[in-house]
């Protein structure tokens, strides 16, 4: 079996994702974008049971999967979903002295993520977690073509 594309081209895939997220958040650097995305991932992951988090992570490109799982306390009890505003504040609290995460961080991360995942697998994973997960990862688009898979 050949090596999966996501492993062979992990850096190219990650750079493409970061560019989409950075542009959507209007941030000035990959470092700022990374912190925002990490905050969004940590915020979402805190609401999942381990089995849900692993199923979600399995849908992500290789580098994003690693970021999603990094420093995860699997023994922590899942937190309830809150409003998007409340969860955005939580994402913004990651490394507060070095965090310029904008108010659209969750939506922008969702926008970029949809362009870099297998839509069918991602939808199925979110549906298994539930409507709160589907709402968390719903980007604000008027045309579904905006989040069509990106060719990189």
């Amino acid at each position: 079996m050949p090596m999966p594309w996501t492993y062979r081209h992990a850096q190219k895939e990650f750079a493409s994702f970061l560019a989409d997220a950075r542009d959507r958040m209007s941030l000035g650097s990959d470092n700022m974008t990374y912190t925002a995305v990490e905050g969004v991932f940590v915020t979402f992951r805190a609401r999942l049971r381990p089995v849900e988090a692993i199923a979600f992570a399995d849908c992500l490109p290789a580098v994003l999967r690693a970021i999603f799982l990094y420093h995860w306390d699997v023994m922590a009890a899942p937190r309830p979903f809150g409003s998007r505003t409340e969860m955005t504040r939580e994402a913004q609290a990651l490394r507060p002295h070095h965090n310029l995460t904008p108010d659209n961080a969750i939506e922008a991360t969702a926008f970029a993520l949809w362009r870099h995942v297998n839509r069918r697998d991602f939808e199925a994973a979110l549906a298994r977690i539930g409507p709160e997960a589907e709402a968390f990862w719903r980007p604000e688009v008027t045309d579904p073509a905006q989040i069509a898979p990106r060719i990189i």
Side-chain angles (χ1 to χ4, degrees), residues 6-18 30 63:
T6 192
Y7 298 150
R8 183 171 300 279
H9 302 283
Q11 182 55 39
K12 180 191 292 186
E13 198 172 44
F14 183 53
S16 176
F17 167 83
L18 276 180
D30 285 349
V63 175

Side-chain angles (χ1 to χ4, degrees), residues 62-141:
V63 175
L64 296 176
R65 185 178 314 138
I67 294 167
F68 184 77
L69 297 173
Y70 183 67
H71 279 206
W72 178 27
D73 177 4
V74 297
M75 300 306 289
R79 299 177 61 178
F81 282 88
S83 71
R84 186 164 274 194
T85 300
E86 292 166 336
M87 292 186 290
T88 297
R89 297 296 169 256
E90 188 176 327
Q92 291 169 327
L94 178 71
R95 291 189 295 279
H97 302 294
H98 305 283
N99 190 327
L100 300 172
T101 298
D103 289 342
N104 74 332
I106 293 173
E107 189 281 331
T109 302
F111 177 91
L113 198 56
W114 277 100
R115 298 184 79 190
H116 293 86
V117 296
N118 176 297
R119 180 177 298 276
R120 187 190 64 203
D121 294 345
F122 194 57
E123 286 174 344
L126 294 176
R128 283 191 299 275
I129 297 168
E132 297 93 350
E134 292 170 319
F136 188 96
W137 292 108
R138 186 172 300 122
E140 296 170 10
V141 296

Side-chain angles (χ1 to χ4, degrees), residues 2-78:
M3 181 187 307
W5 195 94
T6 192
Y7 298 150
R8 183 171 300 279
H9 302 283
Q11 182 55 39
K12 180 191 292 186
E13 198 172 44
F14 183 53
S16 176
F17 167 83
L18 276 180
D20 283 346
R22 183 184 62 240
D23 291 348
R24 190 79 172 182
M25 289 186 229
S26 299
L27 289 173
S29 75
D30 285 349
N31 289 332
M32 288 185 261
T33 307
Y34 168 81
T35 296
V37 168
E38 183 184 15
V40 170
F41 278 175
V42 168
T43 298
F44 180 68
R45 187 185 67 203
R47 277 121 184 106
L48 305 181
R49 296 176 297 123
V51 67
E52 295 167 329
I54 295 298
F56 176 82
D58 277 348
C59 298
L60 302 179
V63 175
L64 296 176
R65 185 178 314 138
I67 294 167
F68 184 77
L69 297 173
Y70 183 67
H71 279 206
W72 178 27
D73 177 4
V74 297
M75 300 306 289

